[in-house]
Amino acid sequence: LATGPRQNNSIFYEIRTYDIKPSKMKEFVEMVNKYFHLRTAHSELVGFWSAELGAMNKVVHVWKYENFAHRTAVRHALPTDKDWQGKFISPALPLIEKQHNEVAYLVPWCQLGKPPKEGGVYEWVTFQMKPGGPALWGEAFQAAINAHINTGYTKLIGVFHTEYGLLNTVHVMWWNESPDHRAVGRHTAHEDARVVAAVRDSVRFLESQQNMLLLPLQCSPLK
């Protein structure tokens, strides 16, 4: 009961974050853009981004699965895909310093969105909430998100709540036309009494937060 409500289907998202060796970032991105179609032949890629601000030499990619049996079948198939193993995995592994993954669900009041056009930037904001799950902090958090949406300066792409990984973590992805457009919108939002009130209420349940400005790779479905 402490985890609160969630969408009534089995779809979940795997969030993978890789730290790339600084001298190898360009090479890694080129390999992803050239060969990642071999991986997406097995399951649906939501998006693939590189960090521009808030982190360095880091990439984030998000995968959609129908259920855990679906993911298991995909993970069993990948080692037998000779093209994927030979053209990407073998040469790419020496370029990677660290890998991290999480399993997350979309919160029940959010559907995965798309930007109104290509060419913008994405903001990935990670909130570490107090233990207790959405039953404790869900309503206040939703109100804070909606307050930002209502300002109109940004587009919500998704709100993901972890199931595996560090629990009580929420990742929120926003889209903006540009970093400058985001900056202007944020400054305006901070002067909006409705936003200020909603944030003050939700921050009672907040342990920490951090964000990254992400740029979509050429191979990313979300651009």
Side-chain angles (χ1 to χ4, degrees), residues 18-209:
Y18 296 171
D19 290 331
I20 310 302
K21 294 179 179 179
S23 63
K24 301 297 184 180
M25 186 65 180
K26 183 176 182 294
E27 182 180 350
F28 181 83
V29 169
E30 289 175 348
M31 287 184 59
V32 169
N33 285 328
K34 185 175 182 179
Y35 292 117
F36 228 61
H37 65 280
L38 299 172
R39 174 61 183 84
T40 56
H42 291 272
S43 63
E44 182 179 347
L45 175 67
V46 174
F48 202 125
W49 303 267
S50 63
E52 179 72 10
L53 297 172
M56 297 182 69
N57 304 301
K58 188 183 292 288
V59 296
V60 178
H61 41 125
V62 179
W63 299 88
K64 179 181 178 181
Y65 292 101
E66 296 299 320
N67 49 45
F68 287 98
H70 178 208
R71 182 185 183 276
T72 297
V74 171
R75 300 305 299 176
H76 284 169
L78 290 173
T80 65
D81 186 329
K82 294 182 179 180
D83 277 348
W84 170 243
Q85 294 296 323
K87 294 180 180 179
F88 184 83
I89 291 296
S90 293
L93 284 179
L95 313 182
I96 301 172
E97 286 193 329
K98 186 168 59 175
Q99 295 175 298
H100 175 71
N101 79 331
E102 299 167 284
V103 166
Y105 291 94
L106 283 172
V107 296
W109 44 269
C110 170
Q111 299 295 321
L112 192 65
K114 294 183 178 181
K117 60 182 180 180
E118 294 185 3
V121 297
Y122 292 79
E123 183 180 11
W124 182 271
V125 190
T126 299
F127 298 89
Q128 186 59 44
M129 309 302 291
K130 291 182 178 180
L136 175 67
W137 42 258
E139 290 184 3
F141 189 86
Q142 180 181 357
I145 295 298
N146 285 336
H148 282 88
I149 293 172
N150 291 337
T151 61
Y153 79 89
T154 186
K155 166 71 175 178
L156 179 66
I157 301 300
V159 181
F160 304 91
H161 175 218
T162 56
E163 179 76 6
Y164 288 98
L166 187 58
L167 297 181
N168 295 290
T169 301
V170 183
H171 300 290
V172 182
M173 174 167 272
W174 302 93
W175 178 90
N176 287 278
E177 290 185 9
S178 69
D180 287 319
H181 183 265
R182 175 198 174 273
V184 172
R186 291 285 293 179
H187 292 155
T188 303
H190 290 164
E191 297 173 356
D192 188 316
R194 296 166 299 177
V195 174
V196 173
V199 170
R200 282 178 176 171
D201 187 40
S202 68
V203 78
R204 296 180 293 125
F205 306 105
L206 181 65
E207 297 282 0
S208 65
Q209 68 185 88

